Amino acid sequence: MKKLLSLFVIFGLSLAAPAGDRIADAAELPEAATKYIAQHFPNETIRRVTVDDDDNRNHDSKYEVVLGNRVELEFNPKGVWLEVDGGAVSIPESVLPAPVLEYLKKNYPDQPATKISVERRGYEVKLQNRLELKFNKNGRFLRIDRD
């Protein structure tokens, strides 16, 4: 019976982490990521941490974290955030760069951000109404993404 239970647990874990990913303990997160979570999500617990080793040849493993409120975060190997995704839930304003937050409050006061991603040339922010906005690295609005 214990062997059967062990097989189910192993099978379940293999389904929870896509190929190239491994389940990790929260203690494996870089210190900067742990501090970021504590600062911006002080009342949330970490439900799952996976390490994405798909691009291991460049040592670019990413940490993917799911919080108790189902917000998903992605960090680089140094613990710098790359993405905060609330799904349909708004993300804390504190995660938005100040110029981005200022722009959103002025132009979209009734549309909270549900996702922010760091991109090569700046940020992409998704609003609750599914509108996607592009900003440069300084947080200056560039355009609405129509992809």
Side-chain angles (χ1 to χ4, degrees):
M1 185 69 177
K2 286 183 182 180
K3 286 183 180 181
L4 185 60
L5 182 59
S6 295
L7 287 173
F8 280 124
V9 169
I10 291 169
F11 180 71
L13 289 175
S14 68
L15 290 177
D21 291 1
R22 67 176 171 81
I23 302 293
D25 190 76
E28 288 184 53
L29 285 171
E31 184 178 353
T34 303
K35 285 181 179 180
Y36 182 89
I37 293 168
Q39 177 184 354
H40 298 288
F41 301 91
N43 300 320
E44 292 301 328
T45 57
I46 295 174
R47 293 181 79 189
R48 186 180 72 227
V49 176
T50 56
V51 181
D52 182 355
D53 290 324
D54 285 342
D55 199 10
N56 210 15
R57 68 182 179 278
N58 294 326
H59 305 288
D60 284 342
S61 298
K62 293 179 186 163
Y63 294 89
E64 298 167 357
V65 178
V66 178
L67 301 178
N69 62 355
R70 300 189 191 274
V71 169
E72 298 178 8
L73 304 114
E74 189 173 295
F75 298 94
N76 72 12
K78 293 181 181 181
V80 176
W81 72 274
L82 301 172
E83 183 174 278
V84 178
D85 187 353
V89 177
S90 61
I91 58 176
E93 290 181 349
S94 63
V95 304
L96 301 170
V100 172
L101 178 59
E102 184 179 323
Y103 179 87
L104 294 179
K105 284 188 170 211
K106 181 179 177 187
N107 295 283
Y108 299 95
D110 298 329
Q111 290 298 318
T114 58
K115 180 178 180 179
I116 183 167
S117 305
V118 176
E119 297 185 337
R120 181 178 295 167
R121 295 184 177 172
Y123 305 99
E124 181 176 83
V125 176
K126 187 173 186 179
L127 303 180
Q128 198 166 43
N129 64 1
R130 298 187 179 169
L131 197 63
E132 294 180 4
L133 309 174
K134 297 278 191 174
F135 296 84
N136 70 11
K137 289 187 181 207
N138 297 322
R140 196 182 100 238
F141 175 73
L142 298 174
R143 68 183 181 279
I144 295 173
D145 190 10
R146 304 234 187 249
D147 292 337

